[in-house]
Amino acid sequence: MQDYIRATEELWQIRDSLNARNDEYLNAKKIIDEIIFLLGEGKIVVCEKNKDQWYVNEWVKKAILLNFKVSEMKLYDGNCMKWYDKVDPQFLNFSQDSFEKKGCRIVPGAFIRQGAYIGKNAVVMPSFINIGAHVGSSTMVDSWATIGSCAYIGNNCHISSGSGIGGVLEPLQAKPVIIEDNCFVGAGSQIVEGIIVEEGAVISTGVFIGASTKIVDRNNGDIIYGRIPAYSVVVPGVLPSSKKDLPGVYCAVIVKQVDKKTREKTSLNELLRD
C-alpha cells in the first residue's frame, strides 16, 4: 500500500505533464488502473474509521482524479443503449461465474462505475453509483437512488427509492456523506455535504440534510449540525420564525432515540409513527 501511496503522490506532482505521448503516462496508467481495481474490490477505501473518527484518504481521491487524467473517452455499447465516457462500468467483463463469486445482485438499469465497491449480498436496483463509492454487505440500494463519488454506505443499510447520498472528490480533504451500518434512509431523502449518519439511525421520507441544516432534538431542544447520532429517528420539520407573519425555517427533527435491541425488533413504520 505504501508503494501505491508514494506513486500516487509522485504522479500528482506531475499530473499536468501527463499525456499519451510520454513514458510517464504509460507508467501512470498502469499504477492508477491497479488502484481503481483495488478500490472496486474494497481493498482500498476513500474513507475509514479509526478510534470513532472518520478520516479521508486523500491519496485515494488523487488517484481517482488522476484516473480521469490518464483515461481516454470511448464509446460503450450496452446493447439497448450507448454512452461515451472515460470510466468503465464496474462489471463490464463479468461472467456469470464472476457474479456468483461476487455474491451480489445487480438488477437491470443499475449503473455502477468502475472503482465503486459493492459488498457481498448487496442488492442494487436501477440506480447510479459513482466511482469511489462504497456499498457494504447486505445493503439495498433501491430504485432511482444515487450514490455520489466516494460516498460511504455501511453494512445492512437500506437506501430507499429516489434518495440521494452525496459524495465529493474536491476539495481533497472534504468528507463525503458517510452512512454507518444498519441505517435506513427513506424515499426521496437527500443527505449531502459530508453528513455522518451514525449506526442504526432511521431517516424518514423526504428529509433533506446538508452541512447548514439545523438538526433539532425535540426532547431537549438541542441543535446540532453535520451529524445524526446513532439510533436516532429523524423526520422533516420546521423551526418557527421569531418574527410575526414570517415563514419558519426548515430543519430535521430527531423525534426519538431507540436502542439497538428496539431498532432490531421494531418495524420502521412503528418507529416513524408519532
Side-chain angles (χ1 to χ4, degrees):
M1 194 65 65
Q2 290 302 316
D3 290 342
Y4 283 126
I5 295 172
R6 182 171 57 254
T8 300
E9 295 295 351
E10 290 173 356
L11 290 171
W12 186 254
Q13 296 303 315
I14 62 168
R15 61 190 181 278
D16 292 335
S17 66
L18 293 174
N19 63 69
R21 293 181 296 276
N22 60 29
D23 292 338
E24 288 88 351
Y25 171 86
L26 297 175
N27 180 55
K29 185 77 169 69
K30 179 179 181 296
I31 292 169
I32 297 304
D33 283 351
E34 290 174 4
I35 292 171
I36 298 301
F37 173 79
L38 292 172
L39 194 56
E41 291 291 301
K43 295 178 181 178
I44 292 174
V45 291
V46 176
C47 296
E48 56 186 330
K49 195 174 186 180
N50 184 14
K51 296 180 179 179
D52 297 325
Q53 293 292 323
W54 283 94
Y55 297 92
V56 174
N57 292 317
E58 294 184 24
W59 74 271
V60 183
K61 282 191 176 185
K62 290 177 180 178
I64 294 172
L65 291 168
L66 285 167
N67 183 61
F68 290 102
K69 182 73 175 177
V70 301
S71 299
E72 296 183 357
M73 297 290 289
K74 58 183 176 180
L75 179 67
Y76 295 88
D77 189 343
N79 294 324
C80 60
M81 66 174 296
K82 294 183 178 182
W83 65 99
Y84 195 52
D85 194 9
K86 287 188 171 186
V87 181
D88 288 345
Q90 174 71 302
F91 304 117
L92 180 64
N93 298 312
F94 264 46
S95 64
Q96 180 169 333
D97 184 59
S98 300
F99 276 111
E100 288 174 354
K101 289 179 179 178
K102 182 73 174 172
C104 54
R105 182 158 66 94
I106 310 299
V107 174
F111 293 91
I112 305 167
R113 297 178 100 190
Q114 190 177 50
Y117 171 74
I118 309 297
K120 190 174 181 63
N121 296 320
V123 177
V124 183
M125 301 300 283
S127 56
F128 183 81
I129 301 176
N130 213 340
I131 186 170
H134 179 106
V135 175
S137 300
S138 300
T139 283
M140 161 74 84
V141 178
D142 222 328
S143 298
W144 320 129
T146 57
I147 313 297
S149 296
C150 306
Y152 184 98
I153 307 212
N155 302 327
N156 303 307
C157 293
H158 190 125
I159 310 301
S160 298
S161 298
S163 55
I165 308 299
V168 63
L169 275 173
E170 295 181 290
L172 293 170
Q173 71 274 13
K175 289 187 182 73
V177 170
I178 294 167
I179 311 288
E180 295 188 347
D181 296 347
N182 305 307
C183 289
F184 176 89
V185 177
S189 291
Q190 301 292 315
I191 316 296
V192 298
E193 297 180 330
I195 299 299
I196 297 176
V197 180
E198 295 180 356
E199 181 171 358
V202 174
I203 311 296
S204 181
T205 299
V207 177
F208 298 86
I209 308 176
S212 62
T213 304
K214 292 181 177 180
I215 302 165
V216 183
D217 189 328
R218 197 173 65 170
N219 294 315
N220 54 31
D222 289 347
I223 295 175
I224 61 174
Y225 295 88
R227 179 180 65 89
I228 302 297
Y231 298 102
S232 296
V233 180
V234 180
V235 301
V238 176
L239 282 171
S241 173
S242 59
K243 296 182 181 180
K244 186 179 179 181
D245 298 327
L246 291 179
V249 176
Y250 172 83
C251 65
V253 182
I254 299 171
V255 292
K256 64 181 79 172
Q257 294 277 346
V258 294
D259 59 27
K260 183 176 181 179
K261 189 174 181 180
T262 302
R263 173 71 174 83
E264 290 173 347
K265 291 186 176 181
T266 307
S267 75
L268 291 172
N269 285 337
E270 290 176 352
L271 281 174
L272 293 169
R273 189 178 295 120
D274 186 45

